[in-house]
Every structure is written in structure tokens, then in C-alpha cells.
Amino acid sequence: MSDENKTVKVEPLRKTRPCPECGMPSNREHYPFCSNRCRELDLSRWLSGSYAIPVADDEAKADYEDEQ
């Protein structure tokens, strides 16, 4: 049997998702982003501190919604 007659269906490792930056379909090499540009934009936001979890200066004065 020759290799030309064989048809192999390769399943992708992950389902394509929209890029979190621009909404285009994701690319396997840059998953979950569509390109290196979008991946680097996201990285620069992490490194500059744009993605941060707000915290209270004094934990004793923090407002907790579940406590009354």
C-alpha cells in the first residue's frame, strides 16, 4: 500500500476560539491568540501592570459583601 492512497484525518489539539484581542479565529502556533502581534499586545499589558487585581490597603477595613 503506497502512502499516496492513505488518507489520514488529523484532529486539532484544541478547538479554535476567537482571539481575546481582536476576535479572529485562533492559530495553533499562537493559541489562544490569532497572531504573534496579539500575543505580544497581551503580554505587554501584563508586564505594564494593566491586568491587576485591586486590593484594599488595610484588610481589616475591606468590604466583604457576604458578611453582614
Side-chain angles (χ1 to χ4, degrees):
M1 209 174 191
S2 69
D3 291 332
E4 295 173 334
N5 294 339
K6 292 183 181 178
T7 305
V8 178
K9 183 175 180 181
V10 177
E11 292 290 324
L13 296 176
R14 299 179 191 110
K15 185 192 277 188
T16 56
R17 300 176 57 186
C19 175
E21 289 294 321
C22 67
M24 298 288 290
S26 61
N27 186 337
R28 183 176 182 175
E29 289 81 30
H30 306 290
Y31 193 83
F33 303 101
C34 67
S35 66
N36 194 43
R37 177 187 172 275
C38 287
R39 183 173 63 175
E40 288 181 355
L41 282 172
D42 186 69
L43 177 62
S44 69
R45 286 193 187 109
W46 278 103
L47 296 176
S48 69
S50 296
Y51 295 138
I53 299 171
V55 295
D57 291 335
D58 185 6
E59 287 295 319
K61 295 179 182 178
D63 295 330
Y64 295 104
E65 294 179 13
D66 57 347
E67 292 181 8
Q68 294 186 23

